[in-house]
Amino acid sequence: MIVPPPRSRSSLRSASALLIAGCILAGCSRDDREARRQAAGPHPSLEALARVADAQAGSVAFRRCAACHPIAPGTPDLGGPNLFGIMGAPIGHHSDRFGYTAALQAVGGVWTPARMDAWMADPHAMVPRTTMNFDGVADPLIRADIIAYLQTRK
Ligand code: HEC
């Protein structure tokens, strides 16, 4: 067994103290995605990703959606419908005022994490005639972060 000399042990301690202080000051969410990815394990299921998902990181990632989607209660739709309360809501019927495509309205069911994941990965694969012209979010962990964020907006 290799016992580290006292000096390196204390520098290890101060390094982790710095890391914790940094998390408190700046928030870990932006920088710890790789650590969270490791924690989810190889080929993680949606459930495994949900366990390491971070709503705060998701709120940052949601900026790419916010160009089209407001997410504050009572805010008018933009290019896309308001997404406040979207998790668990009926697909293609959440906003009374938004002009959804017939294709999205015909999907049926409600927004579960699995369906939201599929939609964000590739909207046109899930609903070929949708007018959500968005390439999708390729990274499964970023999708899980956005889902965690959407779950807080209700
Ligand atoms: C370029 C604009 C645009 C961007 C960017 C965009 N969307 Fe959309 N979104 C739309 C439009 C338009 C629709 C309605 C599509 C239809 O009716 O077929 C829509 C529909 C949706 C719906 C269905 C809402 C309901 O009431 O059932 C969800 C959920 C959604 N978007 C989530 C997202 C998320 C999450 C992102 C970011 C990862 C995103 N969108 C990025 C334009 C956009």
Side-chain angles (χ1 to χ4, degrees):
M1 194 177 102
I2 301 163
V3 179
R7 190 134 167 244
S8 80
R9 247 191 262 171
S10 76
S11 64
L12 206 86
R13 254 201 306 274
S14 53
S16 49
L18 256 178
L19 196 79
I20 293 163
C23 285
I24 292 165
L25 292 174
C28 275
S29 48
R30 254 161 297 168
D31 305 312
D32 70 350
R33 189 164 278 139
E34 289 318 310
R36 293 190 291 117
R37 205 186 299 286
Q38 298 270 317
H43 313 296
S45 63
L46 268 188
E47 290 72 24
L49 288 168
R51 277 195 291 277
V52 300
D54 180 339
Q56 175 61 35
S59 79
V60 176
F62 186 81
R63 284 181 195 155
R64 70 192 77 183
C65 321
C68 299
H69 292 287
I71 192 157
T75 309
D77 302 321
L78 294 172
N82 189 323
L83 294 183
F84 187 78
I86 193 67
M87 295 307 294
I91 295 176
H93 297 274
H94 180 55
S95 166
D96 294 339
R97 293 194 189 86
F98 189 78
Y100 292 101
T101 56
L104 190 66
Q105 284 182 307
V107 169
V110 298
W111 286 110
T112 60
R115 295 184 110 180
M116 191 61 81
D117 181 70
W119 175 248
M120 275 194 277
D122 188 347
H124 290 275
M126 181 174 154
V127 184
R129 299 176 73 95
T130 183
T131 48
M132 176 156 133
N133 293 320
F134 178 71
D135 285 344
V137 179
D139 184 332
L141 182 54
I142 295 182
R143 296 199 299 272
D145 286 347
I146 294 175
I147 291 169
Y149 171 64
L150 292 174
Q151 283 166 335
T152 67
R153 303 296 294 149
K154 59 179 183 199

